[in-house]
Amino acid sequence: MNRFKLGLLVALPAVLIFSVGIIVGEEVVLFGLVLWSVFVIGIFLYADRVVLKVCDAQQILVHHNPRLIELTEEVSRRAGVPAPAVFMMPGDAPNVFSVGSTQRSSAIVFTEGLPRVLSQDEVRSAIAHELVHIYEHDSFAGSFAVGCASLLGMSTNSALAAAASTGAKGFGGIKAITAPLAALIVRFLVPPRRELRADEYGARLIGNPLAMANTIRTMEKKKHTSPLSVPPAVAHVFMVSPLPPGPIEEMFSVHPSLVERVERLDKLHQLMISSIRYLPRTSGQ
């Protein structure tokens, strides 16, 4: 589904350019398609770097935080996938996200507060959650959405700066249009259900739904006392939205509610207990 949506997002502007070009002229078609192709290639190649740059994330090695690296490798081995690179970004609130177009080029980004605040089982939960996103190609779709939204924002700022320098008027409402458009792109590429899937599959991977639920609760609680300084267009890549409640947060919100996520994990925990309880006993028992 992510690939279908990405293909649709790439194809629709090209069709629009071609349709307009038929009326205006072939030169417009050629220029528009070349410009759009450069844009798409740039997003595919550099979307991950844009996200890492916006969040001021830096790669860490074993000697920086050996336990975090060890836990990442441990959960990756359990999942049977290559261990992603590990990055750290500023922020006291525990949170995490992932980037990468393939499993071998992927990375998990932890806030500085995550290993300090969460227990080892909760850190494993956060890692497992992000490994599911990487495996399902959610991470790339999220990065692509950030790239589109960021480029849209930069284009808007450039247009406003050019209008101000020439004294042109009538551009004041551009941001009122581009912000909802950026939010629409994010909502189109990042459905809320992907977080529920990552919660469930990640909890099954480590065999501990309650640890996953506690991780989400702690992240939600700490974001109000130590909010992360990130743009709204990046909030969707995090395991829990780092934005405080407000109209902008609501516009870009793609995360299910805390209640829904915890309730589903509690039900999974009960299901797993029941499955163990009613396993058939061997003749020797």
Side-chain angles (χ1 to χ4, degrees), residues 45-46 60 79 88 134 147 164 191 255 257:
L45 292 178
Y46 299 107
I60 64 172
M88 194 80 76
I134 293 170
H255 292 80
S257 68

Side-chain angles (χ1 to χ4, degrees), residues 21 91 96 100 117 165 180 190 250 274:
V96 62
V117 175
S165 64
V190 187
E250 183 67 26
S274 300

Side-chain angles (χ1 to χ4, degrees), residues 95-202:
N95 219 322
V96 62
F97 69 88
S98 55
V99 296
S101 55
T102 66
Q103 291 183 25
R104 296 195 175 277
S105 65
S106 61
I108 295 181
V109 183
F110 303 90
T111 61
E112 293 173 343
L114 185 141
R116 294 198 303 262
V117 175
L118 300 184
S119 68
Q120 289 195 11
D121 282 344
E122 291 167 349
V123 174
R124 288 188 183 94
S125 298
I127 295 169
H129 179 101
E130 295 307 322
L131 287 179
V132 174
H133 281 319
I134 293 170
Y135 181 81
E136 296 288 343
H137 303 290
D138 296 333
S139 301
F140 178 67
S143 299
F144 191 88
V146 172
C148 290
S150 299
L151 190 60
L152 188 62
M154 288 188 292
S155 301
T156 300
N157 292 334
S158 298
L160 291 175
S165 64
T166 58
K169 298 181 179 180
F171 290 88
I174 290 182
K175 284 194 174 183
I177 299 174
T178 55
L181 181 58
L184 184 63
I185 293 173
V186 169
R187 285 177 172 271
F188 177 70
L189 288 177
V190 187
R193 189 161 188 82
R194 78 172 199 159
E195 294 300 330
L196 299 176
R197 180 183 60 201
D199 290 345
E200 178 184 346
Y201 291 1

